[in-house]
Amino acid sequence: MDIFIQQLINGLTQGSVYALVALGYTMVYGIVGLINFAHGDVVMVGAMVATSVALALVGANPAMSPWLVLGAGVVCAVPICMALGWLAERVAYRPLRRAPRLAALITAIGISIILQNVAMMVWGRDYAHFPQILEPRVFQIDGARISTLQIAIIVIAALMMAGLLLLVHKTRLGTAMRATAQNREVAGLMGVNINTVISAAFLIGSALAAVAGMMVTTYYGVAHYTMGFMLGLKAFTAAVLGGIGNLAGAMFGGILLGVIEALGAGYIGDLTGGFMGSNYQDVFAFLVLVLVLIFRPSGLLGERVGDRA
């Protein structure tokens, strides 16, 4: 039982990050119908920027407060990631709104490759190590361990997801976003500025990606220019698992995917003597995705809808 609880805690921590990144995928897809495969690399840029800022501040003043260092990292990473998201939408995606979806998909892959190579030129090929400025306390729960850092990641992710739901359902911008997602043409006729709404979706998603990148590099202690590929792919998997285009589905899918991975890597791996441990954790996640797509292609919380004319 202690193994189960421990892996459940690990899964909730990892799933919280997946959920934040998946929200960026599902917001853009719900409004534009675009799968932004460059979103994972925006997370990577956020992680690299936050790590660079932390290293610079700690190098200049080793006695600086850890929370001030983390705050400075977020403050620097968020606007840079938002600028990248806005620039990609304005320059690469907006001219292709009426083009076939395959053209936009290929463009998104191209943006992803560009971001990876630019990051490699700026930060190099080596891993960037986040400074060990935090000494989190560890609490025991029935033999399992949870640190204050894990608690912070889960709580901050939950607060941000709740804030996004309030934004979407309780504000004028949220109403405009929901109207645009339902029917862009009619929303435009009703006075909604479609370009502003779509840009806002990219900006919000990129801000969430920056925070997620900060969480990843703080939790694992490293950042690398290729880290966004698998993280983005898993977050996209989480969005599809929950029902892409559905905010609640992205959150649920992210948490569920993180728990499945953790249980597969730890609990099931322990039962098999390590044969199916952490090296095979991706197998469990994508196996569940395949099963969901076979038996419920719209996702766990998605609605079955007919194809649009």
Side-chain angles (χ1 to χ4, degrees):
M1 181 57 70
D2 57 339
I3 296 176
F4 179 82
I5 296 175
Q6 182 64 66
Q7 297 307 323
L8 186 62
I9 292 171
N10 295 340
L12 287 174
T13 306
Q14 187 66 41
S16 298
V17 176
Y18 289 159
L20 284 182
V21 183
L23 285 171
Y25 280 101
T26 206
M27 286 177 62
V28 171
Y29 182 84
I31 294 176
V32 191
L34 166 69
I35 300 174
N36 181 19
F37 276 122
H39 190 61
D41 296 289
V42 177
V43 179
M44 174 271 297
V45 172
M48 298 298 291
V49 170
T51 302
S52 298
V53 171
L55 289 171
L57 292 178
V58 172
N61 183 7
M64 182 175 292
S65 169
W67 300 110
L68 184 60
V69 174
L70 294 176
V74 172
V75 168
C76 293
V78 168
I80 291 176
C81 289
M82 291 176 70
L84 284 177
W86 178 86
L87 187 64
E89 189 278 326
R90 185 65 181 84
V91 175
Y93 299 142
R94 187 176 296 186
L96 298 175
R97 283 184 194 168
R98 300 187 180 276
R101 290 190 177 185
L102 182 61
L105 178 63
I106 294 173
T107 301
I109 296 173
I111 296 296
S112 173
I113 295 173
I114 290 173
L115 289 179
Q116 286 188 32
N117 282 271
V118 169
M120 181 186 66
M121 290 187 290
V122 173
W123 287 287
R125 296 176 178 269
D126 297 331
Y127 284 86
H129 295 273
F130 195 86
Q132 298 295 322
I133 56 177
L134 291 175
E135 296 182 2
R137 294 179 59 189
V138 177
F139 303 96
Q140 296 284 340
I141 303 178
D142 290 335
R145 296 159 58 89
I146 182 171
S147 67
T148 51
L149 180 57
Q150 289 176 306
I151 295 174
I153 290 175
I154 295 172
V155 171
I156 292 173
L159 291 175
M160 295 188 69
M161 289 186 280
L164 179 61
L165 288 177
L166 289 175
L167 172 68
V168 171
H169 293 285
K170 300 296 183 181
T171 65
R172 290 176 59 88
L173 175 60
T175 302
M177 293 174 71
R178 287 184 283 120
T180 305
Q182 187 171 7
N183 193 309
R184 261 188 287 172
E185 288 73 17
V186 173
L189 293 174
M190 297 298 292
V192 175
N193 189 324
I194 305 300
N195 290 332
T196 299
V197 170
I198 294 175
S199 295
F202 275 88
L203 289 172
I204 295 171
S206 298
L208 295 176
V211 177
M214 181 73 179
M215 290 178 175
V216 171
T217 188
T218 305
Y219 187 57
Y220 291 105
V222 294
H224 192 249
Y225 74 95
T226 61
M227 63 179 286
F229 173 75
M230 184 55 69
L231 178 59
L233 186 59
K234 289 183 178 180
F236 171 69
T237 300
V240 174
L241 180 61
I244 193 164
N246 185 318
L247 293 181
M251 299 176 192
F252 176 71
I255 299 296
L256 181 60
L257 184 65
V259 171
I260 290 172
E261 274 195 352
L263 291 178
Y267 188 66
I268 299 177
D270 183 73
L271 292 177
T272 58
F275 176 71
M276 299 178 68
S278 59
N279 292 333
Y280 296 92
Q281 65 179 7
D282 297 343
V283 174
F284 299 105
F286 292 113
L287 177 61
V288 172
L289 173 66
V290 170
L291 294 175
V292 170
L293 291 178
I294 291 174
F295 295 105
R296 188 172 174 81
S298 58
L300 297 179
L301 300 184
E303 298 180 357
R304 296 180 180 272
V305 296
D307 293 334
R308 296 180 180 176

